[in-house]
Amino acid sequence: MKFIIQRDYLLQSVQDVMKAVTSRTTIPILTGIKIVAHEEGVTLTGSDSDISIESFIQKELEGDEIVEIKQRGSIVLQARFFSEIIKKLPTDIVEIEVQPNLQTVIRSGKSEFKLNGLDAEEYPHLPQILEEHIFKIPTNLLKGLIRQTVFSVSTSETRPILTGVNWKVENNELICIATDSHRLALRKAEIEAGNTESYNVVIPGKSLNELIKILDDSSDLVDIVITENQVLFKAKHLLFFSRLLEGNYPDTGRLIPNESKTEVVVVTKQFLNAIDRASLLAREGRNNVVKLATMEGGAIEISSITPEIGTVVEEIPSQSIAGEELKISFSAKYMMDALKALEGSEIQISFTGAMRPFVIRPLHDDSILQLILPVRTY
């Protein structure tokens, strides 16, 4: 194998596939990146057997030559060393040549590295996915859907299914739900489905977090293919495979209250900043708990008491308060995570009592909600 390539394109691809490579693997060859030079260009693959990423560099782009293939072939190179080398090469042009003994020469300017390679035939094959049922989502919407839900997945392995995000597709609508049993995030979106297949799968939160790091912010469509145990995201020059979590996701529909006793509308930024200030003292305490109380005249009091440090009290105006008086305590971190995920300048918070879950939504937007369980304080 021998090819000459523009360094920036190679580096971008290396950094993308590195997101699937881990040093903690029982399969030694998976600590490497597989490189294949073929007629159309160069393909790089990284995998940790849960996530696999394939990045394709085409021979030319808009008339510019990016890769010149001198000899087709393939090799697996140690990911950590290979990525560091490419990052630090002196010139914009890189030549990579595999010698008969699998030793690989990397040249750039006056610099030459030799890396011991592994036989690419030994590298596990990517899952073969039949692309019968595809639905499409614009890249920027897909990133939004993930960002607005994935932070609510559980970080504890006691219930593995909760470490993923539940994706349900029905009637050309995608519903994404994540919960760690203390809070819940839900986001809905219309999708272009080639058919009316319905799905109900759970995608690991870790996979989705890696996916949003490598997608660009364009409105190009991403093809999504779901099978029994894999999901494939297909972007322009990128294939991203992830295994699905096994098991049934809990029915979260009954967690979301239908009625409310107190409705509060606030300016998102003002409310977020007040919670942030209240959490300055709360954060030091073990609990990170902030209290909210409705007051006469439409104001809201945000407070936090940490006996060994001090107290903070702040009043902020509300746009409106309707219903019963209320005092409630909750995690400042959960509230701030939820507020950062919501779009819109004003939010509506619906409470059904001091010990019941409450729901936060942007005003006049039913496609997204955040739910938080209050904290008992005595």
Side-chain angles (χ1 to χ4, degrees):
M1 176 177 92
K2 184 175 179 183
F3 62 89
I4 295 167
I5 188 166
Q6 287 192 28
R7 189 186 70 140
D8 290 354
Y9 286 93
L10 178 59
L11 182 59
Q12 185 58 58
S13 271
V14 168
Q15 286 172 337
D16 285 349
V17 301
M18 279 290 284
K19 298 202 167 31
V21 178
T22 169
S23 51
R24 299 189 305 276
T25 174
T26 49
I27 309 166
I29 199 162
L30 289 184
T31 59
I33 290 176
K34 178 179 167 186
I35 304 165
V36 181
H38 43 86
E39 274 171 6
E40 286 83 49
V42 174
T43 301
L44 277 68
T45 308
S47 177
D48 66 359
S49 67
D50 281 346
I51 301 174
S52 303
I53 301 172
E54 185 177 292
S55 175
F56 170 60
I57 308 166
Q58 60 197 52
K59 278 168 70 170
E60 53 179 64
L61 190 64
E62 293 163 7
D64 263 1
E65 185 176 59
I66 295 166
V67 186
E68 185 190 347
I69 306 288
K70 302 273 198 186
Q71 186 189 354
R72 289 182 298 180
S74 58
I75 192 74
V76 176
L77 296 177
Q78 270 301 319
R80 196 162 59 87
F81 297 114
F82 182 60
S83 68
E84 286 298 323
I85 289 168
I86 301 302
K87 218 180 277 176
K88 294 179 178 173
L89 287 175
T91 71
D92 293 339
I93 300 297
V94 183
E95 182 185 318
I96 294 179
E97 181 180 2
V98 178
Q99 296 174 334
N101 59 356
L102 299 183
Q103 198 173 54
T104 303
V105 184
I106 302 165
R107 296 186 192 92
S108 174
K110 297 263 193 281
S111 165
E112 179 175 295
F113 287 85
K114 285 185 178 161
L115 271 184
N116 297 329
L118 295 166
D119 186 353
E121 291 300 314
E122 309 278 316
Y123 197 86
H125 289 290
L126 289 185
Q128 291 302 305
I129 287 187
L130 289 172
E131 298 183 17
E132 291 171 344
H133 306 304
I134 291 184
F135 59 93
K136 298 172 187 286
I137 302 183
T139 312
N140 43 13
L141 173 61
L142 174 61
K143 287 178 81 165
L145 285 166
I146 295 170
R147 276 207 192 99
Q148 290 166 329
T149 50
V150 74
F151 65 88
S152 281
V153 299
S154 172
T155 50
S156 142
E157 288 293 338
T158 46
R159 288 182 71 189
I161 197 81
L162 294 185
T163 61
V165 182
N166 185 202
W167 279 34
K168 289 192 283 203
V169 177
E170 48 202 24
N171 310 329
N172 287 358
E173 184 178 55
L174 167 64
I175 303 168
C176 305
I177 298 169
T179 181
D180 60 5
S181 72
H182 301 291
R183 55 172 166 178
L184 176 146
L186 179 149
R187 174 79 159 85
K188 297 188 271 198
E190 299 285 313
I191 54 170
E192 289 183 38
N195 54 8
T196 50
E197 260 319 287
S198 55
Y199 298 100
N200 187 344
V201 296
V202 184
I203 305 174
K206 177 174 158 270
S207 303
L208 293 171
N209 274 321
E210 295 304 339
L211 176 63
I212 51 178
K213 288 179 194 164
I214 53 180
L215 290 174
D216 54 18
D217 283 318
S218 69
S219 54
D220 297 346
L221 291 173
V222 176
D223 291 356
I224 300 173
V225 190
I226 292 174
T227 67
E228 257 176 48
N229 53 10
Q230 290 278 341
V231 58
L232 163 62
F233 296 89
K234 243 179 120 173
K236 205 161 37 187
H237 298 301
L238 199 74
L239 298 180
F240 185 104
F241 296 85
S242 168
R243 73 179 176 93
L244 298 172
L245 292 177
E246 288 173 19
N248 293 324
Y249 201 78
D251 174 18
T252 52
R254 47 197 176 71
L255 290 175
I256 299 163
N258 296 325
E259 79 289 311
S260 67
K261 293 180 178 171
T262 313
E263 297 268 341
V264 176
V265 176
V266 286
V267 175
T268 316
K269 196 160 190 252
Q270 204 175 19
F271 187 58
L272 174 60
N273 290 342
I275 299 284
D276 195 7
R277 286 189 286 274
S279 76
L280 289 174
L281 299 189
R283 198 176 303 146
E284 297 298 328
R286 292 182 306 282
N287 44 18
N288 197 357
V289 170
V290 165
K291 290 182 180 170
L292 176 150
T294 56
M295 303 179 63
E296 295 285 311
I300 294 171
E301 183 183 84
I302 309 283
S303 63
S304 166
I305 301 168
T306 309
E308 59 275 21
I309 298 164
T311 59
V312 49
V313 179
E314 177 171 350
E315 254 184 56
I316 61 164
S318 71
Q319 306 304 89
S320 69
I321 295 181
E324 302 175 4
E325 275 189 15
L326 177 82
K327 284 188 173 151
I328 193 166
S329 305
F330 48 81
S331 154
K333 179 189 182 306
Y334 288 176
M335 178 60 92
M336 283 157 62
D337 286 348
L339 293 173
K340 285 172 189 165
L342 295 174
E343 291 160 355
S345 57
E346 294 180 323
I347 50 156
Q348 176 175 1
I349 314 176
S350 308
F351 299 97
T352 46
M355 285 323 299
R356 307 263 309 149
F358 57 92
V359 174
I360 313 160
R361 289 187 178 90
L363 210 53
H364 316 305
D365 179 0
D366 287 337
S367 70
I368 179 168
L369 70 82
Q370 302 284 337
L371 174 142
I372 297 175
L373 269 67
V375 177
R376 272 182 201 280
T377 51
Y378 294 113

